[in-house]
Structures are given as C-alpha cells and as structure tokens.
Amino acid sequence: MGTFRHRRWRRKIGSVSRWLPAFARVSTVLLLIALGLFVALRVAAPYLITTGFVRSGIEDALSKWTGYHAEIKGSPVLEFWPTPRITINQITIRQPRESGDKLLGRIESLSADFSLIDALRGRTSFHEFHLLRPNLALTRDEKGLIDWSYAGLLARAISGVRYENGAEVLDRDLDAEIGAVTVEDGTLVVTDIRSARTYHFDSVTADIAWPRLSGAISAVVIARINGVDLKVDFASRQPLLAFAGKSAETRTSLTSNLLTARFQGVASIASLSALSGNIAVSIPDVPALLTWSGRSIPGVGTLKSASLDSDIMSSGSGLRFNDLSLSLNDASATGVMDLSTQPGRRPKIGGTLAFDQMNLKPFLDAFALRLAAGEAEEISAATAEPLQLLDVDVRLSARRAQMGLFELSDVGASMIVSGGEAKFDIGDSQFEGGEMTAHLEATRRDFDGGGKLQLSIRDADFAGLAERLQLKGPLPLATGSLDLDLRSPKAIWTTGLADVTGRLRFWTREGTIPGIDVAALRTEAAEKPFFPLSAAASGAFTFNRLDLQADFANGSAEIHDALIVGPAQTLALSGMITYQSNGLALSGSLEATDPAKAAELPLLPFFIGGSWPNPVVSPVPHFGAMPHAR
C-alpha cells in the first residue's frame, strides 16, 4: 500500500516538473516584453507627446470640472520618469467674460499624473493632483450651501446625486475618477451671504482621498484663521449628498488649541432638520475662545473651561441632547437638554441638569449675566452677544453648590429667560443646617440695567457661618432666620454696596453676643462719660430672642428698633450704619426685661458712635422712662 502511494506521488511531481520550466520561460518572456514596452514608451514619449497637447488637455479638464474657464500663463513642464506627470504654473480660473467674468481663484502651480497610453491614443486623463499656493474664493448662499451653480462636472454631480435604499446613487454619465488631491500653502476666502460675514483661511494644507465622485471621501485640512491653526478631519461615504446640503453620513473632527470638537452621525451643512449622532466639544479656555472669535460676555471670566458630550438628534423644530454630560470648570452634570427654534421667535434652551457639585456664579456668568430680557426685535443679530439671542428654561439640581462665600446642599434651582423677563430661582436648598430660597430677577432689558435679589433663610446656624467667614466684632451667634429684599440699578454681580437699596429682617432664637458684658457696660456708664465698647467686652450677652429690621439706601443701613431680649435685661438699638466705612451712629438703651425689676436694673440710654468693630459708647442723661418696642 505504501509503495503504491509513493509511486503515485512521484508521477505527480514528474508531471509538474515537465510544465513548470515552460511556464517560467513564458512568464519571463512576457515580463521582459512588458519591461521593454515600459522603457520604450518612456524613451519615446517625449517625441510622441507634445507639451501643448497635455497642456490643452489639463486646461480642458479644469474647465470641465469647474465649469469655469481655465487659463494657463506659465510654461508647462513634462516628466516621464518614474510616472508621466505635468506641472503647470500661473493658472487663473474664472467665468467666461460673457457670463460675468467671476473669479474662482488662482493657482501658482498645479501638477498631476496623466495616462501615457491615453495620451498616445489622443486623449488625456489626469489623477494625483498637487496644488501649490492656490488662492480660491467661494460663496455660501442664503440656503447655507456652497455655490456650485456654474455648469461644471462637480456641480452637475452634486445636483444630480440621489439617495436610494440607504446609499448615494449617481448616474454613470456624471461619475468620474478623481484620485488624490493635495494642497500646499493655500488661501481660501468664504463669503457667507446668510450671515453677511467673510471668513479668511490662510496657510491651508490638505490631503484629500476621493477615488471617484460616486465613492467615499476622506480629507485632512489644516488652516489658520485669525492667527490660530485649525485641523479638520472629514470623512463620508456620501460626499455628494453632503455637498448638496442633504442628509449624509459623516465623521468630522475639529482640533485646535482653543477648541476640540467631534461629530459622528447623519448631518446636513444646510439645516439641522435631520441631525442624528454623537457630538463632543471641549473648550479648555473659554475667555480665550471668545477673544479669538471677536465675542465678549462681560462677567464670564470665572468660567475657565467647558465641555459637552451627548447624543444629538433633530426633534420637531429643534435639537434634542440625550445622555448629556456637561462640565463647567470643575463641576460636572448629566441630563437632557432641548434647543428649539421656531420662525419669528428666539431659539430656546430647556431641560434639566443634575450636578454632583457646582459653583453657581460661573454658571450664572455663562448662562444668565448677558441674557436679554427685552423683545427679540430690539436685538440686532449682528451686534448682539451670543447668549442675548437665546431664551432659557433650565432646571438645575446639585448635591453641593457654592454661591460666592456660601455653601449650599441639595439644591433645586431654575433659570428662565423669556420675552421681557429673566429670572433665577433657588426653590429649595439646605444652608448652614437650615433652608434657603432665593430669587434673582432682571428688571430691564439686560442684567446691566439692574436687578433685584430676594433671599429667605430659615433656621440656619449663623454662629457657624460667622466663624467660617471670620467675621469680627460683637455679632449675634444663634440659630435664626433672615428675609432680604435688595434692588440695584446695576448688574447684580457687579453692583457696589452704595448701589443697593432694600430691606432686611433678621430674627433668632436664644443665643449669645460675645464681646458685650451688660454688667460691665452699666459699670463703665456709671463711671465715665464715654468709653470704648471693648472696655465692656469681658463677657457675653446671652439672649432669648433677637428681632432686627433695617432699610438699605445710599451706602447705609437704617436700623429700626432692633430688640435683643435677654433673661434679665433687654437691649434696644436704632440708628444708622454706614457699611462702606463701618461707621456707626446708634442710639440704644438697656433696661430690665421684667418691669418689676426696673428699680434693680434702671433704664440706661446711651449713644454709640465711631467705627466697627470697636465704637465708642457715651451714656445719655435721661429724665423719666424711655419707651421702646418689645
């Protein structure tokens, strides 16, 4: 059995060995012939193909592609090794004079590979284009599309492309080979008719791979605009649909020192009506980006960085951001947002955001400080700040939040900017062991026109707050409540103390005022015509309740019958406090809480003047009882 198999294997080897030398000889001969033809064509090509023929061919090709007239002033250079290639200089592409003489651009030098066989047959075909220092001008029309309206092959392909069964379809007579296109040190000017702006792109370098008009495209473009280098990566399996302003699958990323952005999904360059995909944006330096873009949002300096990552899709007349992750400085949030756009009305942002921790001030700076509360027609799109063109209805929540020097927890807030009003509300929050609500409102067209602040605090630990804020002087340390109503003709976050008008009411349960010893106060008053308050600071005034009301205006607070009721004695105060200079001008009295002990603790009227925290106390002679409110 083994011998039989061995003989059969030897017969197969023998048959292969008979035809293999013949195959090798034929292959070698064919290879030599091909090599000889290749060398012969390269040697004979300069004599068979004229420069004028190839030059006129590339002129015709440029005119065919663009629909414009291509004019070459420089002398072309032909190379045949290692591949046939033509280089032409000083190319101008413009409309024919009878059609308006519109200039598309100029190219300092253009080189392209061409087919030697086609040239010998009297035809020209080109691929692998390289453009050196092209200077092109394009127009973006009212519909948001690049103006390809002139009758070139590219324009006809863009207008003739169709979407069928999930794919881009192009008629065969409109299809053509392109190959690779590289651009070196170019400039591009885009005139946007819709926004009446002109964009200048300098130092443009590009690598474009587009084998056929009907095929996929991938491109990497690096350009400089306003002194900043931008890199754009673009890829699409449906490029003609994209250029036609129709919905197309795209993958785009933008990279620069100021901004990085990425989108992958279905989009249109003309509208947002069929947008679907994922978007990610990161801004490491928001003020620098605004400066570069020529925009400004006063007060936004506290917002240093921002980023966004979300699934995005068209929804009705706007956009829906699902699974949104938003970061502002060190604060991160998740939620859902909507951007709605309706004809004749300002765009509106709405939704909910949940933060683990956040700083409310940069949030207000970014989203509310410059939001307009006036009518839409009062604002010019050309001169308005970016956020002035938006209405806002956003709900916020945060486990921890910081607002200036204050810390909040379990915050529920909302911000509404619509029509003639702009409001920010903290509907619920935990503050120093108690609860706080707040209402911030723009009173005019903008926060720059003024605003008002209403604050309500219940059962908060003001002793802990005073210690954390390192406040000095004899202050009431107690658990208490506060109602504050302030108004200012200036922006809330930029107003000075002298600009504030309003009213305050503060009341507490039992507590102490360190630095006031009422027994020492009576002793000093009996012995001296005036003395510093620090002379009676050896103890603390324990009280059962405190009630204080004050009005604010012109940089001063007017105290109305502040009453501090202790177990044995009651302290009453009224007068003026100039809080810009810490100046005091108060009249006060100290008397027995129980009228039955008036003989033991007689009425002691006095005057307090000087500056906080160590004013001067001067006893006032009195005749009879001095009434006060209890």
Side-chain angles (χ1 to χ4, degrees), residues 248-308:
E249 295 182 12
T250 61
R251 186 180 71 253
T252 307
S253 66
L254 172 66
T255 306
S256 74
N257 293 332
L258 300 177
L259 169 73
T260 58
R262 172 188 53 80
F263 173 80
Q264 183 169 356
V266 176
S268 167
I269 63 173
S271 70
L272 303 176
S273 60
L275 185 67
S276 177
N278 181 267
I279 186 172
V281 180
S282 177
I283 306 173
D285 190 338
V286 174
L289 178 63
L290 291 173
T291 300
W292 171 77
S293 64
R295 294 287 188 173
S296 63
I297 304 179
V300 81
T302 54
L303 181 63
K304 299 301 182 182
S305 62
S307 66
L308 176 150

Short mmCIF file of all heavy atoms in Angstrom, two decimals, residues 248-308:
data_model
loop_
_atom_site.label_atom_id
_atom_site.label_comp_id
_atom_site.label_asym_id
_atom_site.label_seq_id
_atom_site.Cartn_x
_atom_site.Cartn_y
_atom_site.Cartn_z
N ALA A 248 -26.43 63.26 5.14
CA ALA A 248 -25.39 62.30 4.73
C ALA A 248 -24.64 61.83 5.96
O ALA A 248 -24.49 62.57 6.95
CB ALA A 248 -24.43 62.95 3.74
N GLU A 249 -24.16 60.60 5.89
CA GLU A 249 -23.34 60.06 6.97
C GLU A 249 -21.96 60.73 6.93
O GLU A 249 -21.30 60.73 5.90
CB GLU A 249 -23.19 58.55 6.81
CG GLU A 249 -24.49 57.78 6.98
CD GLU A 249 -24.28 56.27 6.86
OE1 GLU A 249 -23.11 55.83 6.88
OE2 GLU A 249 -25.28 55.55 6.74
N THR A 250 -21.56 61.29 8.05
CA THR A 250 -20.28 61.98 8.11
C THR A 250 -19.57 61.67 9.42
O THR A 250 -20.19 61.31 10.42
CB THR A 250 -20.45 63.51 7.99
OG1 THR A 250 -21.25 63.97 9.09
CG2 THR A 250 -21.11 63.89 6.68
N ARG A 251 -18.28 61.84 9.39
CA ARG A 251 -17.45 61.78 10.59
C ARG A 251 -16.50 62.97 10.52
O ARG A 251 -15.67 63.06 9.62
CB ARG A 251 -16.66 60.46 10.66
CG ARG A 251 -15.90 60.28 11.97
CD ARG A 251 -15.14 58.99 12.02
NE ARG A 251 -13.98 58.99 11.14
CZ ARG A 251 -13.89 58.32 10.01
NH1 ARG A 251 -14.90 57.57 9.60
NH2 ARG A 251 -12.80 58.37 9.25
N THR A 252 -16.66 63.89 11.45
CA THR A 252 -15.92 65.15 11.40
C THR A 252 -15.31 65.44 12.76
O THR A 252 -15.94 65.22 13.79
CB THR A 252 -16.85 66.31 11.00
OG1 THR A 252 -17.53 65.99 9.79
CG2 THR A 252 -16.06 67.59 10.81
N SER A 253 -14.09 65.95 12.75
CA SER A 253 -13.47 66.39 13.99
C SER A 253 -12.72 67.69 13.72
O SER A 253 -12.19 67.91 12.63
CB SER A 253 -12.52 65.34 14.55
OG SER A 253 -11.41 65.14 13.70
N LEU A 254 -12.71 68.56 14.73
CA LEU A 254 -12.02 69.83 14.67
C LEU A 254 -11.08 69.91 15.85
O LEU A 254 -11.48 69.69 16.99
CB LEU A 254 -13.03 70.99 14.71
CG LEU A 254 -12.46 72.40 14.86
CD1 LEU A 254 -11.65 72.77 13.63
CD2 LEU A 254 -13.59 73.40 15.09
N THR A 255 -9.81 70.24 15.59
CA THR A 255 -8.80 70.29 16.64
C THR A 255 -8.03 71.61 16.56
O THR A 255 -7.61 72.02 15.49
CB THR A 255 -7.81 69.12 16.50
OG1 THR A 255 -8.53 67.89 16.45
CG2 THR A 255 -6.85 69.09 17.66
N SER A 256 -7.90 72.27 17.72
CA SER A 256 -7.08 73.48 17.82
C SER A 256 -6.71 73.66 19.28
O SER A 256 -7.15 72.91 20.15
CB SER A 256 -7.84 74.70 17.31
OG SER A 256 -8.84 75.09 18.24
N ASN A 257 -5.89 74.68 19.56
CA ASN A 257 -5.53 74.98 20.94
C ASN A 257 -6.71 75.52 21.74
O ASN A 257 -6.73 75.43 22.97
CB ASN A 257 -4.39 76.00 20.98
CG ASN A 257 -3.10 75.43 20.42
OD1 ASN A 257 -2.87 74.23 20.47
ND2 ASN A 257 -2.25 76.30 19.90
N LEU A 258 -7.69 76.09 21.05
CA LEU A 258 -8.82 76.73 21.72
C LEU A 258 -10.05 75.83 21.81
O LEU A 258 -10.89 76.03 22.69
CB LEU A 258 -9.21 78.02 20.99
CG LEU A 258 -8.13 79.10 20.90
CD1 LEU A 258 -8.64 80.27 20.08
CD2 LEU A 258 -7.72 79.55 22.30
N LEU A 259 -10.14 74.86 20.92
CA LEU A 259 -11.38 74.08 20.83
C LEU A 259 -11.10 72.74 20.18
O LEU A 259 -10.35 72.64 19.21
CB LEU A 259 -12.41 74.86 20.01
CG LEU A 259 -13.68 74.12 19.58
CD1 LEU A 259 -14.59 73.92 20.78
CD2 LEU A 259 -14.41 74.90 18.49
N THR A 260 -11.69 71.69 20.74
CA THR A 260 -11.72 70.39 20.07
C THR A 260 -13.18 69.96 20.00
O THR A 260 -13.94 70.11 20.96
CB THR A 260 -10.89 69.33 20.81
OG1 THR A 260 -11.38 69.18 22.15
CG2 THR A 260 -9.43 69.72 20.86
N ALA A 261 -13.57 69.44 18.84
CA ALA A 261 -14.95 69.02 18.64
C ALA A 261 -14.97 67.80 17.74
O ALA A 261 -14.09 67.62 16.88
CB ALA A 261 -15.78 70.15 18.02
N ARG A 262 -15.97 66.96 17.96
CA ARG A 262 -16.11 65.74 17.16
C ARG A 262 -17.58 65.46 16.95
O ARG A 262 -18.40 65.62 17.86
CB ARG A 262 -15.45 64.57 17.89
CG ARG A 262 -15.70 63.20 17.26
CD ARG A 262 -15.17 62.09 18.14
NE ARG A 262 -15.68 62.16 19.50
CZ ARG A 262 -16.89 61.74 19.85
NH1 ARG A 262 -17.73 61.25 18.95
NH2 ARG A 262 -17.27 61.83 21.13
N PHE A 263 -17.93 65.03 15.73
CA PHE A 263 -19.29 64.60 15.42
C PHE A 263 -19.24 63.37 14.55
O PHE A 263 -18.46 63.29 13.60
CB PHE A 263 -20.08 65.70 14.71
CG PHE A 263 -21.43 65.23 14.23
CD1 PHE A 263 -22.49 65.15 15.12
CD2 PHE A 263 -21.63 64.83 12.92
CE1 PHE A 263 -23.73 64.69 14.70
CE2 PHE A 263 -22.86 64.37 12.49
CZ PHE A 263 -23.92 64.30 13.39
N GLN A 264 -20.10 62.41 14.85
CA GLN A 264 -20.23 61.22 14.02
C GLN A 264 -21.71 60.88 13.92
O GLN A 264 -22.38 60.71 14.94
CB GLN A 264 -19.46 60.04 14.59
CG GLN A 264 -19.53 58.79 13.71
CD GLN A 264 -18.56 57.72 14.16
OE1 GLN A 264 -17.78 57.92 15.09
NE2 GLN A 264 -18.58 56.57 13.50
N GLY A 265 -22.22 60.83 12.71
CA GLY A 265 -23.63 60.52 12.53
C GLY A 265 -24.12 61.03 11.19
O GLY A 265 -23.37 61.08 10.21
N VAL A 266 -25.39 61.43 11.15
CA VAL A 266 -26.02 61.94 9.94
C VAL A 266 -26.25 63.43 10.12
O VAL A 266 -26.79 63.86 11.15
CB VAL A 266 -27.36 61.22 9.67
CG1 VAL A 266 -28.06 61.83 8.46
CG2 VAL A 266 -27.13 59.73 9.45
N ALA A 267 -25.83 64.21 9.13
CA ALA A 267 -25.93 65.67 9.26
C ALA A 267 -26.08 66.29 7.88
O ALA A 267 -25.90 65.64 6.85
CB ALA A 267 -24.70 66.23 9.97
N SER A 268 -26.41 67.59 7.89
CA SER A 268 -26.52 68.38 6.67
C SER A 268 -25.84 69.71 6.92
O SER A 268 -25.96 70.29 8.00
CB SER A 268 -27.98 68.60 6.29
OG SER A 268 -28.10 69.60 5.30
N ILE A 269 -25.12 70.22 5.90
CA ILE A 269 -24.45 71.51 6.05
C ILE A 269 -25.44 72.66 5.89
O ILE A 269 -25.11 73.81 6.20
CB ILE A 269 -23.32 71.68 5.03
CG1 ILE A 269 -23.87 71.67 3.60
CG2 ILE A 269 -22.26 70.61 5.22
CD1 ILE A 269 -22.84 71.99 2.54
N ALA A 270 -26.67 72.37 5.45
CA ALA A 270 -27.64 73.43 5.19
C ALA A 270 -28.64 73.62 6.31
O ALA A 270 -29.13 74.72 6.55
CB ALA A 270 -28.39 73.14 3.89
N SER A 271 -28.99 72.56 7.05
CA SER A 271 -30.01 72.68 8.10
C SER A 271 -29.78 71.61 9.15
O SER A 271 -28.96 70.70 8.99
CB SER A 271 -31.41 72.54 7.50
OG SER A 271 -31.65 71.20 7.08
N LEU A 272 -30.54 71.73 10.26
CA LEU A 272 -30.45 70.77 11.35
C LEU A 272 -31.67 69.87 11.41
O LEU A 272 -31.93 69.23 12.42
CB LEU A 272 -30.32 71.53 12.69
CG LEU A 272 -29.14 72.49 12.80
CD1 LEU A 272 -29.20 73.24 14.12
CD2 LEU A 272 -27.82 71.75 12.66
N SER A 273 -32.42 69.79 10.31
CA SER A 273 -33.70 69.09 10.33
C SER A 273 -33.58 67.58 10.40
O SER A 273 -34.53 66.90 10.77
CB SER A 273 -34.52 69.47 9.09
OG SER A 273 -33.81 69.12 7.90
N ALA A 274 -32.42 67.02 10.05
CA ALA A 274 -32.28 65.56 10.07
C ALA A 274 -30.97 65.16 10.74
O ALA A 274 -30.30 64.23 10.32
CB ALA A 274 -32.33 65.01 8.65
N LEU A 275 -30.61 65.86 11.80
CA LEU A 275 -29.36 65.60 12.50
C LEU A 275 -29.52 64.43 13.46
O LEU A 275 -30.49 64.35 14.20
CB LEU A 275 -28.93 66.85 13.26
CG LEU A 275 -27.58 66.82 13.97
CD1 LEU A 275 -26.45 66.74 12.95
CD2 LEU A 275 -27.42 68.05 14.83
N SER A 276 -28.55 63.54 13.47
CA SER A 276 -28.58 62.41 14.39
C SER A 276 -27.18 61.86 14.54
O SER A 276 -26.48 61.63 13.54
CB SER A 276 -29.50 61.31 13.85
OG SER A 276 -29.48 60.18 14.69
N GLY A 277 -26.74 61.70 15.81
CA GLY A 277 -25.40 61.16 16.02
C GLY A 277 -24.90 61.48 17.40
O GLY A 277 -25.68 61.68 18.35
N ASN A 278 -23.59 61.55 17.53
CA ASN A 278 -22.95 61.86 18.80
C ASN A 278 -22.01 63.04 18.61
O ASN A 278 -21.28 63.12 17.62
CB ASN A 278 -22.16 60.65 19.32
CG ASN A 278 -21.49 60.92 20.64
OD1 ASN A 278 -20.34 61.33 20.70
ND2 ASN A 278 -22.21 60.70 21.73
N ILE A 279 -22.02 63.95 19.58
CA ILE A 279 -21.19 65.15 19.50
C ILE A 279 -20.42 65.31 20.79
O ILE A 279 -20.92 65.00 21.87
CB ILE A 279 -22.06 66.40 19.22
CG1 ILE A 279 -21.17 67.62 19.00
CG2 ILE A 279 -23.05 66.65 20.34
CD1 ILE A 279 -21.93 68.84 18.53
N ALA A 280 -19.18 65.76 20.67
CA ALA A 280 -18.33 66.03 21.84
C ALA A 280 -17.57 67.32 21.57
O ALA A 280 -16.99 67.49 20.50
CB ALA A 280 -17.36 64.88 22.09
N VAL A 281 -17.60 68.23 22.54
CA VAL A 281 -16.93 69.52 22.42
C VAL A 281 -16.17 69.79 23.71
O VAL A 281 -16.69 69.56 24.81
CB VAL A 281 -17.93 70.67 22.17
CG1 VAL A 281 -17.21 72.00 22.05
CG2 VAL A 281 -18.75 70.39 20.92
N SER A 282 -14.94 70.28 23.59
CA SER A 282 -14.14 70.63 24.76
C SER A 282 -13.50 71.99 24.52
O SER A 282 -12.86 72.21 23.49
CB SER A 282 -13.06 69.57 25.03
OG SER A 282 -12.26 69.94 26.12
N ILE A 283 -13.69 72.91 25.49
CA ILE A 283 -13.10 74.25 25.41
C ILE A 283 -12.23 74.45 26.64
O ILE A 283 -12.75 74.65 27.75
CB ILE A 283 -14.19 75.33 25.36
CG1 ILE A 283 -15.19 75.04 24.22
CG2 ILE A 283 -13.58 76.71 25.19
CD1 ILE A 283 -16.38 75.96 24.21
N PRO A 284 -10.92 74.37 26.52
CA PRO A 284 -10.06 74.49 27.70
C PRO A 284 -9.95 75.90 28.26
O PRO A 284 -9.65 76.08 29.43
CB PRO A 284 -8.69 73.99 27.20
CG PRO A 284 -8.73 74.22 25.73
CD PRO A 284 -10.15 74.04 25.31
N ASP A 285 -10.19 76.92 27.42
CA ASP A 285 -10.07 78.31 27.88
C ASP A 285 -11.17 79.12 27.22
O ASP A 285 -11.03 79.61 26.10
CB ASP A 285 -8.69 78.86 27.51
CG ASP A 285 -8.40 80.21 28.17
OD1 ASP A 285 -9.36 80.89 28.56
OD2 ASP A 285 -7.21 80.57 28.29
N VAL A 286 -12.30 79.26 27.92
CA VAL A 286 -13.47 79.95 27.36
C VAL A 286 -13.17 81.42 27.05
O VAL A 286 -13.49 81.89 25.95
CB VAL A 286 -14.68 79.81 28.30
CG1 VAL A 286 -15.85 80.64 27.79
CG2 VAL A 286 -15.08 78.33 28.42
N PRO A 287 -12.58 82.20 27.97
CA PRO A 287 -12.30 83.60 27.62
C PRO A 287 -11.40 83.75 26.40
O PRO A 287 -11.60 84.65 25.58
CB PRO A 287 -11.61 84.14 28.88
CG PRO A 287 -12.12 83.28 29.99
CD PRO A 287 -12.25 81.92 29.38
N ALA A 288 -10.40 82.87 26.26
CA ALA A 288 -9.52 82.96 25.09
C ALA A 288 -10.29 82.66 23.81
O ALA A 288 -10.05 83.30 22.77
CB ALA A 288 -8.35 81.99 25.24
N LEU A 289 -11.21 81.71 23.84
CA LEU A 289 -12.01 81.39 22.66
C LEU A 289 -12.90 82.57 22.29
O LEU A 289 -13.04 82.90 21.10
CB LEU A 289 -12.86 80.15 22.92
CG LEU A 289 -13.79 79.72 21.79
CD1 LEU A 289 -12.99 79.34 20.55
CD2 LEU A 289 -14.70 78.58 22.21
N LEU A 290 -13.52 83.21 23.28
CA LEU A 290 -14.37 84.36 22.99
C LEU A 290 -13.55 85.51 22.41
O LEU A 290 -14.00 86.19 21.47
CB LEU A 290 -15.07 84.81 24.27
CG LEU A 290 -16.14 83.85 24.82
CD1 LEU A 290 -16.63 84.32 26.17
CD2 LEU A 290 -17.31 83.72 23.84
N THR A 291 -12.35 85.73 22.95
CA THR A 291 -11.49 86.79 22.41
C THR A 291 -11.12 86.51 20.97
O THR A 291 -11.15 87.39 20.10
CB THR A 291 -10.23 86.92 23.27
OG1 THR A 291 -10.59 87.24 24.62
CG2 THR A 291 -9.31 88.00 22.73
N TRP A 292 -10.77 85.27 20.67
CA TRP A 292 -10.39 84.90 19.31
C TRP A 292 -11.56 85.06 18.34
O TRP A 292 -11.38 85.50 17.20
CB TRP A 292 -9.90 83.44 19.30
CG TRP A 292 -9.68 82.88 17.93
CD1 TRP A 292 -8.64 83.13 17.10
CD2 TRP A 292 -10.54 81.97 17.23
NE1 TRP A 292 -8.79 82.43 15.92
CE2 TRP A 292 -9.95 81.71 15.98
CE3 TRP A 292 -11.75 81.35 17.56
CZ2 TRP A 292 -10.53 80.86 15.06
CZ3 TRP A 292 -12.34 80.51 16.64
CH2 TRP A 292 -11.73 80.26 15.40
N SER A 293 -12.75 84.73 18.79
CA SER A 293 -13.92 84.80 17.91
C SER A 293 -14.48 86.21 17.78
O SER A 293 -15.40 86.43 17.00
CB SER A 293 -15.02 83.87 18.44
OG SER A 293 -15.48 84.31 19.70
N GLY A 294 -13.92 87.16 18.55
CA GLY A 294 -14.41 88.53 18.47
C GLY A 294 -15.66 88.78 19.27
O GLY A 294 -16.31 89.82 19.12
N ARG A 295 -16.01 87.83 20.15
CA ARG A 295 -17.18 87.98 21.00
C ARG A 295 -16.74 88.29 22.42
O ARG A 295 -15.60 88.03 22.81
CB ARG A 295 -18.01 86.70 21.00
CG ARG A 295 -18.64 86.37 19.66
CD ARG A 295 -19.79 87.32 19.36
NE ARG A 295 -20.53 86.92 18.19
CZ ARG A 295 -21.66 87.49 17.79
NH1 ARG A 295 -22.16 88.50 18.50
NH2 ARG A 295 -22.28 87.10 16.70
N SER A 296 -17.66 88.85 23.21
CA SER A 296 -17.36 89.12 24.61
C SER A 296 -18.63 88.93 25.42
O SER A 296 -19.72 89.27 24.97
CB SER A 296 -16.84 90.55 24.80
OG SER A 296 -17.83 91.49 24.43
N ILE A 297 -18.47 88.34 26.61
CA ILE A 297 -19.57 88.19 27.55
C ILE A 297 -19.07 88.72 28.87
O ILE A 297 -18.38 88.02 29.62
CB ILE A 297 -20.02 86.72 27.69
CG1 ILE A 297 -20.40 86.15 26.31
CG2 ILE A 297 -21.19 86.61 28.65
CD1 ILE A 297 -20.83 84.71 26.35
N PRO A 298 -19.36 89.98 29.21
CA PRO A 298 -18.85 90.55 30.46
C PRO A 298 -19.22 89.70 31.65
O PRO A 298 -20.34 89.20 31.77
CB PRO A 298 -19.54 91.92 30.51
CG PRO A 298 -19.81 92.26 29.07
CD PRO A 298 -20.12 90.95 28.41
N GLY A 299 -18.25 89.51 32.55
CA GLY A 299 -18.51 88.72 33.76
C GLY A 299 -18.25 87.25 33.60
O GLY A 299 -18.38 86.49 34.56
N VAL A 300 -17.86 86.81 32.39
CA VAL A 300 -17.69 85.38 32.17
C VAL A 300 -16.29 84.91 32.57
O VAL A 300 -15.96 83.75 32.39
CB VAL A 300 -17.97 85.04 30.69
CG1 VAL A 300 -16.75 85.35 29.83
CG2 VAL A 300 -18.39 83.59 30.53
N GLY A 301 -15.48 85.81 33.14
CA GLY A 301 -14.10 85.46 33.49
C GLY A 301 -13.99 84.30 34.45
O GLY A 301 -12.98 83.60 34.47
N THR A 302 -15.01 84.07 35.28
CA THR A 302 -14.95 82.95 36.21
C THR A 302 -15.17 81.61 35.52
O THR A 302 -14.87 80.57 36.11
CB THR A 302 -15.99 83.12 37.32
OG1 THR A 302 -17.28 83.31 36.73
CG2 THR A 302 -15.66 84.32 38.19
N LEU A 303 -15.70 81.62 34.31
CA LEU A 303 -15.88 80.38 33.57
C LEU A 303 -14.62 80.11 32.77
O LEU A 303 -14.39 80.72 31.73
CB LEU A 303 -17.10 80.47 32.65
CG LEU A 303 -17.40 79.21 31.83
CD1 LEU A 303 -17.76 78.05 32.75
CD2 LEU A 303 -18.53 79.46 30.84
N LYS A 304 -13.78 79.21 33.23
CA LYS A 304 -12.50 78.95 32.60
C LYS A 304 -12.58 77.89 31.51
O LYS A 304 -11.99 78.03 30.44
CB LYS A 304 -11.48 78.53 33.66
CG LYS A 304 -11.22 79.59 34.73
CD LYS A 304 -10.71 80.89 34.13
CE LYS A 304 -10.40 81.92 35.20
NZ LYS A 304 -9.96 83.20 34.64
N SER A 305 -13.28 76.80 31.78
CA SER A 305 -13.32 75.69 30.82
C SER A 305 -14.72 75.12 30.76
O SER A 305 -15.52 75.26 31.69
CB SER A 305 -12.32 74.60 31.23
OG SER A 305 -12.67 74.05 32.50
N ALA A 306 -15.01 74.47 29.64
CA ALA A 306 -16.31 73.85 29.45
C ALA A 306 -16.16 72.68 28.50
O ALA A 306 -15.29 72.67 27.62
CB ALA A 306 -17.32 74.86 28.90
N SER A 307 -17.01 71.67 28.66
CA SER A 307 -17.01 70.53 27.75
C SER A 307 -18.41 69.93 27.71
O SER A 307 -19.21 70.10 28.64
CB SER A 307 -15.99 69.47 28.18
OG SER A 307 -16.35 68.89 29.42
N LEU A 308 -18.68 69.25 26.61
CA LEU A 308 -20.00 68.65 26.38
C LEU A 308 -19.82 67.36 25.61
O LEU A 308 -19.02 67.29 24.68
CB LEU A 308 -20.89 69.63 25.62
CG LEU A 308 -22.28 69.20 25.18
CD1 LEU A 308 -23.21 70.43 25.15
CD2 LEU A 308 -22.27 68.56 23.79
#
